[in-house]
């Protein structure tokens, strides 16, 4: 039985790398996620046919040469002690003949594979260990559990007898896919995932050739592809360059922190003590100010500006001499100072001490929109929950039963419709751009430094974005291992070809189907909205009517485009939901990732931001009006989340209704979010305002951008280093979700400390930007 099982698993060797390495990347954009029938009859019939005909069939006694041999103790100990095994030498001879007929396979791999087969027949321990490490069919095949990974660590730990054979063992990951499944990024379980333990002389191409030849010889209509694990994989040029760049940043952080602590902070403490003791409060002791992200996000980051403090302290140190108890000030040599001061400011920009204080500062400036912090953080946790679940759906052992059991639970639709969490960020972005730009235009009497308006946004987002893209592409795949770990890199070819689209923030429009850093489609949309915003801001500042007309034109274009694309393609309203009729071309990205379909929440946010600017955050409403506002906002949000419930439970939604929902639901969600912000900012938020304005959210809110960049890598590392499929349950998801939040924000703090905050300090140092309250 075990030997025939080996023959079966060899027939099923196909790489799952093409499916599972990339399937999780389309967490949001791939509308096909989980919507296909989990009990694909063709694949189940195939498995049943192979299982019964290849593993458990009873041969005609005239054609079977029985030899009694004892099974080594293995998976079934009782049977292993006594049971005889049936062998068919003719079957093994046919297998060898088929192997020899594959001209495209390297002779070394072929010979070593034959040696493994011979070793199994002769009960060699190392060969039986390789067989034992193979993936084997388990239970619940009819439920769609077709992921058989085997034992990754056992395979790599096999020690062959070098006096008998001159090769070791390596783990290969295989996929058996129907020919009509042409999209390898579709994570629906209509394929067999199989772990294989093969000679380490075999490459993925070698095993793929063997598998496809065997499948063709057996008239099995499946396509095979294999990826094999490479032991001690050397660093490539990309990885070396990435390590050098990261090392430079680390060195700058060490030097900047050391200089800051020794020459600035310690002297500042000494000056402060001396000043309070002998001359009263020092004029420089209170120079530190906090610039809140909600106060001036277009011109500064949510950090405390302490580089200027360091400069002031150093100037005091250089300009005075202490004689006894008297302080004597001397004029500075201005001609010799600027270059030195600029260099110091640039170095101190990398100080972990100063930047850490900025990030962890929980003070909020008076008049800021404090509730935005809580909304931003909670929305980020919702994004993490949705991505954790969608990733798990590509790797769970019981994904089909779990979906079937939970799709009828109304609470489950809060996860299925977590896609609107991103629209919360679009809404907040539009609101803050309008609110703060209007205040700046008023202060400048209609003038604004538009070059700085754009440059700051680009500089604020891009450096840390490119660093994370570099880490993701060049280094991440060296940090883990496992049966489904993408050792050759995640999206490496896509990033080699299309990284420039990310840099220019057009990755959602150009080469969208080969996008690098897939979840960065959001950043592209946000930047594109930001670039277009002056077309609205300038008319809105000079004429409210004209500005609202422009917003109306943009809104009408967005709603119409989204509705038409949805109707023409007969699109469903989301994951697992159904519509009447036949779905059109599966290009969900044309609807989900494009600015002309996603601008609605941003526009409604701009309207809310302008309203707060005009009212100066003062709105007096009676209790009935406030209650009506909250009820309407809550009802709208609930309709967005749970409106399509029946479409996932056997009642397909009419195509026209689905098109209307796809056109309007994001804008409706944005309007509900705007009410929360407006109510809290104008004193009508009650306990919601108290909760959302908690000071603890300030730091977490500052880290949200880095959390968005890093959280998919945290999730991927957890799930893709598993040695066996993950069992999906509410408790397991909650435990993983909470862990993802903690780890993501811990990683984000380090990323912000090393890459993000220093860039903001460099901008202030190089451009000598004014300090603002």
């Amino acid at each position: 039985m075990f030997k025939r099982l080996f023959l079966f698993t060899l027939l099923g060797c196909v790489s799952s790398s093409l499916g599972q390495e990339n399937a999780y990347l389309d967490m949001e954009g791939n509308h096909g996620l989980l919507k296909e029938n989990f009990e694909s009859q063709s694949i189940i019939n195939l498995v049943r046919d192979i299982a019964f005909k290849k593993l458990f069939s009873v041969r005609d006694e005239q054609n079977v040469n029985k030899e009694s041999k004892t099974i080594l103790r293995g998976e079934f100990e009782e049977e292993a002690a006594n049971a005889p095994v049936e062998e068919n030498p003719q079957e093994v001879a046919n297998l060898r003949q088929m192997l020899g007929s594959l001209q495209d396979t390297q002779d070394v791999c072929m010979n070593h594979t034959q040696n493994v087969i011979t070793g199994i027949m002769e009960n060699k321990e190392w060969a039986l260990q390789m067989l034992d490490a193979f993936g084997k069919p388990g239970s619940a095949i009819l439920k769609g559990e077709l992921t058989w990974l085997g034992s990754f660590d056992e395979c790599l730990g096999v020690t062959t007898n070098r006096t008998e054979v001159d090769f070791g063992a390596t783990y290969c990951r295989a996929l058996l896919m129907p020919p009509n499944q042409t999209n390898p990024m579709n994570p629906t379980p209509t394929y067999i995932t199989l772990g294989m333990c093969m000679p380490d002389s075999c490459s993925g191409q070698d095993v793929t050739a063997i598998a496809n030849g065997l499948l063709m010889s057996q008239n099995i209509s499946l396509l095979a592809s294999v990826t094999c694990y490479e032991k001690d994989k050397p660093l490539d040029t990309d990885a070396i360059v990435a390590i050098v760049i990261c090392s430079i940043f680390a060195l700058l952080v060490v030097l900047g922190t050391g200089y800051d602590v020794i020459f600035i902070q310690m002297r500042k403490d000494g000056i402060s003590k001396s000043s309070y003791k002998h001359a009263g409060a020092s004029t420089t002791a209170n120079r530190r100010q906090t610039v809140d992200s909600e106060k001036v996000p277009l011109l500064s980051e949510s950090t405390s500006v302490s580089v200027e403090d360091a400069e002031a302290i150093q100037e005091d140190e250089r300009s005075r001499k202490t004689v006894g108890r008297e302080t004597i000030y001397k004029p500075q040599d201005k001609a010799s100072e600027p270059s030195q001061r600029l260099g110091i400011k640039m170095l101190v920009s990398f100080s972990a001490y100063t930047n850490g204080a900025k990030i962890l500062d929980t003070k909020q400036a008076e008049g800021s929109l404090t509730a935005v912090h809580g909304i931003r953080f909670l929305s980020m946790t919702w994004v993490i929950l949705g991505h954790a679940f969608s990733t798990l759906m590509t790797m769970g052992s019981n994904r089909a039963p779990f979906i079937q059991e939970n799709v009828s639970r109304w609470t489950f639709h809060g996860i299925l419709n977590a896609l609107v969490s991103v629209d919360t960020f679009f809404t907040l972005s539009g609101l803050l751009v309008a609110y703060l730009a209007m205040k700046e235009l008023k202060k400048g009497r209609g003038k604004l430094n538009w070059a700085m308006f754009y440059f700051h946004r680009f500089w604020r987002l891009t450096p840390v974005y490119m660093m994370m893209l570099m880490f993701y592409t060049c280094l991440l795949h060296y940090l883990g291992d496992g049966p489904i770990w993408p050792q050759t890199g995640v999206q490496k070819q896509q990033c080699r070809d299309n990284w420039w689209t990310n840099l220019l923030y057009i990755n959602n429009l150009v080469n969208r189907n080969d996008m690098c850093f897939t979840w960065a489609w959001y950043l592209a949309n946000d930047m594109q909205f930001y670039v277009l915003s002056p077309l609205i801001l300038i008319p809105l500042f000079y004429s409210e009517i004209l500005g609202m007309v422009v917003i109306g034109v943009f809104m009408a274009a967005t709603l119409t485009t989204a509705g038409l694309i949805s109707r023409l393609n007969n699109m469903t309203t989301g994951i697992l939901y159904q519509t009447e009729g036949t779905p059109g071309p599966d290009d969900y990205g044309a609807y989900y990732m494009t600015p002309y379909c996603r601008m609605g929440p941003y526009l409604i946010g701009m309207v809310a931001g302008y309203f707060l600017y005009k009212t100066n955050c003062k709105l007096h409403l009676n209790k009935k009006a406030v209650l009506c506002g909250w009820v309407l906002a809550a009802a709208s949000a609930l309709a967005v989340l749970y409106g399509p419930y029946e479409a996932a439970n056997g009642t397909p939604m009419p195509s026209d209704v689905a098109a209307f929902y796809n056109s309007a639901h994001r804008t409706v969600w944005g309007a509900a979010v705007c009410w929360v912000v407006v109510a809290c900012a104008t004193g009508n938020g009650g306990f919601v305002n108290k909760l959302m304005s908690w000071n603890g959210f300030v730091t977490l809110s500052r880290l949200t951008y880095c959390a968005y960049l890093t959280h998919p890598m945290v999730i991927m590392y957890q799930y893709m280093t598993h040695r066996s499929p993950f069992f999906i349950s509410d408790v397991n998801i909650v435990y993983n979700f909470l862990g993802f939040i903690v780890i993501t924000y811990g990683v984000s703090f380090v990323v912000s400390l090393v890459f993000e905050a220093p860039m903001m300090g460099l901008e202030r140092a190089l451009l000598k930007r004014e300090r603002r309250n």
Side-chain angles (χ1 to χ4, degrees):
M1 184 178 67
F2 278 91
K3 295 169 187 177
R4 290 183 182 169
L5 184 59
F6 172 76
L7 301 181
F8 163 69
T9 53
L10 190 59
L11 282 172
C13 61
V14 186
S15 172
S16 63
S17 61
L18 294 178
Q20 288 189 338
E21 284 177 17
N22 294 314
Y24 83 97
L25 297 172
D26 211 8
M27 298 169 188
E28 299 165 325
N30 189 344
H31 190 52
L33 182 67
L34 305 175
K35 75 176 182 180
E36 292 187 2
N37 186 354
F38 279 89
E39 296 184 0
S40 174
Q41 198 60 41
S42 61
I43 196 71
I44 290 175
N45 289 340
L46 171 69
V47 172
R48 183 179 58 193
D49 180 72
I50 294 177
F52 284 93
K53 292 184 178 181
K54 292 293 179 183
L55 298 182
F56 308 111
S57 62
V58 179
R59 305 283 185 176
D60 190 328
E61 293 185 1
Q62 296 179 356
N63 299 324
V64 178
N65 180 16
K66 296 183 179 180
E67 294 183 11
S68 296
K69 292 190 177 180
T70 303
I71 304 175
L72 289 181
R73 295 185 180 274
E75 193 173 42
F76 308 101
E77 293 189 1
E78 293 183 2
E79 183 182 7
N82 304 304
V85 181
E86 291 185 334
E87 273 187 7
N88 192 337
Q90 184 61 41
E91 187 176 52
V92 176
N94 291 339
L95 175 61
R96 286 175 173 165
Q97 183 178 1
M98 286 185 292
L99 294 176
S101 66
L102 300 175
Q103 300 297 326
D104 295 334
T105 304
Q106 293 185 7
D107 292 337
V108 175
C109 176
M110 181 66 62
N111 293 334
H112 290 171
T113 302
Q114 293 174 343
N115 290 339
V116 173
I117 297 173
T118 302
I120 293 173
M121 295 174 59
E122 297 175 355
N123 287 335
K124 299 292 185 181
E125 182 178 358
W126 59 268
L128 293 173
Q129 286 178 345
M130 293 180 67
L131 174 60
D132 186 46
F134 264 76
K136 304 171 183 65
S139 58
I141 291 177
L142 298 180
K143 291 289 186 179
E145 295 190 19
L146 304 175
T147 302
W148 312 322
L149 297 178
S151 178
F152 175 83
D153 296 301
E154 181 184 18
C155 179
L156 296 184
V158 170
T159 302
T160 58
N161 188 341
R162 292 293 177 170
T163 61
E164 299 178 356
V165 293
D166 58 347
F167 60 86
T170 190
Y171 183 88
C172 297
R173 187 159 34 96
L175 182 73
L176 201 66
M177 189 188 305
N180 58 354
Q181 185 170 321
T182 58
N183 179 15
M185 290 187 65
N186 189 347
T188 51
T190 54
Y191 50 78
I192 298 174
T193 302
L194 186 67
M196 305 177 63
C197 193
M198 300 293 291
D200 58 9
S201 58
C202 294
S203 65
Q205 293 180 343
D206 296 333
V207 183
T208 299
I210 295 174
N212 280 318
L214 293 173
L215 291 170
M216 292 175 60
S217 68
Q218 298 294 308
N219 294 321
I220 299 176
S221 298
L222 293 173
L223 298 178
S225 180
V226 178
T227 296
C228 292
Y229 184 84
E230 184 178 347
K231 297 180 181 178
D232 302 323
K233 186 177 181 180
L235 296 175
D236 59 16
T237 303
D238 295 342
I240 294 173
V241 171
I243 291 173
V244 170
I245 294 174
C246 291
S247 299
I248 292 173
F249 272 87
L251 179 61
L252 289 173
V253 169
V254 171
L255 295 177
T257 304
Y259 186 92
D260 185 26
V261 171
I262 296 173
F263 295 101
I264 297 177
Q265 303 301 331
M266 293 179 66
R267 291 187 179 184
K268 181 175 67 173
D269 292 341
I271 294 170
S272 299
K273 292 179 182 179
S274 176
S275 299
Y276 278 109
K277 183 177 180 180
H278 302 294
S282 171
T283 58
T284 62
N286 297 316
R287 295 276 305 275
R288 182 169 182 151
Q289 300 180 17
T290 299
V291 180
D292 188 89
S293 62
E294 267 39 82
K295 191 68 177 176
V296 196
L298 307 181
L299 305 176
S300 181
E301 179 50 18
S302 53
T303 57
S304 302
V305 184
S306 59
V307 174
E308 289 81 357
D309 297 0
E311 177 188 354
I313 294 166
Q314 289 179 331
E315 289 175 353
D316 285 348
E317 285 288 292
R318 291 191 297 264
S319 63
R320 63 176 166 173
K321 293 183 178 180
T322 302
V323 179
R325 296 193 175 202
E326 297 181 1
T327 301
I328 303 174
Y329 290 86
K330 291 192 174 184
Q332 301 177 14
D333 183 3
K334 296 183 179 181
S336 62
E337 291 298 323
S339 61
Q340 181 182 0
R341 287 163 46 195
L342 177 60
I344 291 173
K345 291 168 67 175
M346 292 178 63
L347 182 61
V348 174
S349 297
F350 289 88
S351 171
Y353 180 91
T354 297
N355 291 332
K358 297 175 186 178
I359 296 170
L360 298 176
D361 187 4
T362 60
K363 295 179 182 178
Q364 303 189 58
E366 184 178 354
S368 63
L369 306 180
T370 55
V372 170
H373 296 300
I375 297 173
R376 184 183 290 146
F377 169 71
L378 294 179
S379 296
M380 187 66 241
T381 62
W382 198 10
V383 171
I384 294 174
L385 176 61
H387 284 175
F389 177 80
S390 61
T391 305
L392 186 58
M393 285 298 98
T394 68
M395 303 171 190
S397 62
N398 61 322
R399 49 194 170 187
F402 182 84
I403 290 293
Q404 293 168 350
E405 294 169 4
N406 287 275
V407 72
S408 60
R409 290 168 49 187
W410 68 270
T411 52
F412 187 65
H413 291 255
I415 297 177
L416 291 181
N417 283 314
L419 303 177
V420 295
S421 59
V422 180
D423 295 289
T424 301
F425 290 114
F426 285 141
T427 303
L428 295 179
S429 183
L431 187 150
L432 293 173
V433 166
Y435 176 67
L436 295 161
M438 286 294 151
K439 295 177 71 173
E440 291 295 319
L441 285 168
K442 181 180 180 180
K443 186 183 299 183
R445 298 181 180 181
K447 295 180 180 180
L448 187 65
N449 188 340
W450 295 108
M452 182 59 66
F453 179 86
Y454 286 121
F455 174 80
H456 173 72
R457 185 70 171 185
F458 184 84
W459 187 260
R460 161 74 176 86
L461 299 180
T462 307
V464 66
Y465 174 22
M466 291 295 105
M467 290 299 298
M468 290 301 97
L469 188 150
M470 179 190 70
F471 176 84
Y472 170 73
T473 305
C474 303
L475 294 178
L476 181 62
H477 56 282
Y478 289 100
L479 302 183
D481 61 19
I484 57 175
W485 180 256
Q487 192 193 23
T488 57
V490 184
Q491 291 191 299
K492 193 156 189 176
Q493 191 58 47
Q494 292 96 317
C495 290
R496 281 181 181 273
D497 296 338
N498 300 309
W499 64 269
W500 59 274
T501 63
N502 295 76
L503 179 64
L504 298 178
Y505 294 93
I506 57 174
N507 47 303
N508 62 329
L509 298 174
V510 179
N511 299 330
R512 183 174 56 241
N513 294 330
D514 292 318
M515 187 186 303
C516 170
F517 214 67
T518 314
W519 57 98
W521 68 268
Y522 160 78
L523 301 180
N525 277 275
D526 191 66
M527 180 63 79
Q528 290 156 11
F529 300 156
Y530 190 83
V531 169
L532 294 173
S533 63
L535 299 178
I536 298 173
L537 295 173
I538 295 175
L540 192 60
F541 178 77
Y542 288 104
S543 171
E544 182 175 317
I545 295 177
L546 179 60
M548 289 301 169
V549 169
V550 175
I551 290 178
V553 171
F554 274 101
M555 182 68 76
T558 299
L559 298 179
T560 302
T561 303
L564 285 176
I565 291 177
S566 175
R567 183 62 185 88
L568 293 175
N569 291 280
N570 197 27
M571 293 174 56
T572 65
T573 57
I575 299 171
L576 292 180
Y577 297 107
Q578 299 177 347
T579 56
E580 296 176 350
T582 304
D586 189 14
D587 187 10
Y588 191 64
Y591 162 77
Y592 188 82
M593 298 183 182
T594 50
Y596 42 79
C597 292
R598 299 302 300 257
M599 199 175 185
Y602 194 90
L603 295 171
I604 205 71
M606 294 188 75
V607 173
Y610 180 75
F611 176 79
L612 290 175
Y613 158 73
K614 292 292 289 185
T615 60
N616 197 26
C617 295
K618 294 178 181 179
L619 179 64
H620 300 288
L621 298 174
N622 59 46
K623 293 183 178 180
K624 291 183 179 180
V626 172
L627 180 61
C628 288
W630 281 106
V631 170
L632 182 60
S636 300
L638 292 174
V640 169
L641 291 180
Y642 302 109
Y645 174 85
E646 293 297 333
N649 288 276
T651 306
M653 186 178 292
S655 298
D656 293 335
V657 177
F660 174 77
Y661 178 88
N662 287 333
S663 172
H665 78 285
R666 302 185 189 283
T667 303
V668 172
W669 178 265
V673 173
C674 285
W675 166 257
V676 176
V677 178
V678 171
C680 292
T682 57
N684 298 295
F687 76 93
V688 175
N689 182 48
K690 293 181 180 179
L691 176 63
M692 295 295 102
S693 300
W694 177 52
N695 286 343
F697 284 137
V698 176
T699 294
L700 297 172
S701 176
R702 288 196 185 105
L703 295 173
T704 296
Y705 176 54
C706 290
Y708 186 82
L709 293 176
T710 59
H711 79 277
M713 291 182 274
V714 173
I715 294 172
M716 180 182 69
Y717 191 89
Q718 160 67 358
Y719 286 149
M720 300 189 76
T721 54
H722 267 242
R723 267 42 179 178
S724 59
F726 193 91
F727 182 79
I728 309 172
S729 68
D730 291 341
V731 173
N732 287 343
I733 290 176
V734 169
Y735 270 95
N736 279 272
F737 166 59
L738 295 177
F740 290 149
I741 292 176
V742 174
I743 296 173
T744 294
Y745 274 87
V747 171
S748 300
F749 177 75
V750 175
V751 170
S752 181
L753 200 66
V754 178
F755 301 117
E756 183 184 28
M759 296 299 103
M760 303 308 299
L762 286 176
E763 181 188 7
R764 287 191 296 269
L766 294 174
L767 300 181
K768 299 181 179 179
R769 297 176 57 225
E770 296 180 358
R771 296 173 62 194
R772 300 174 182 268
N773 294 326

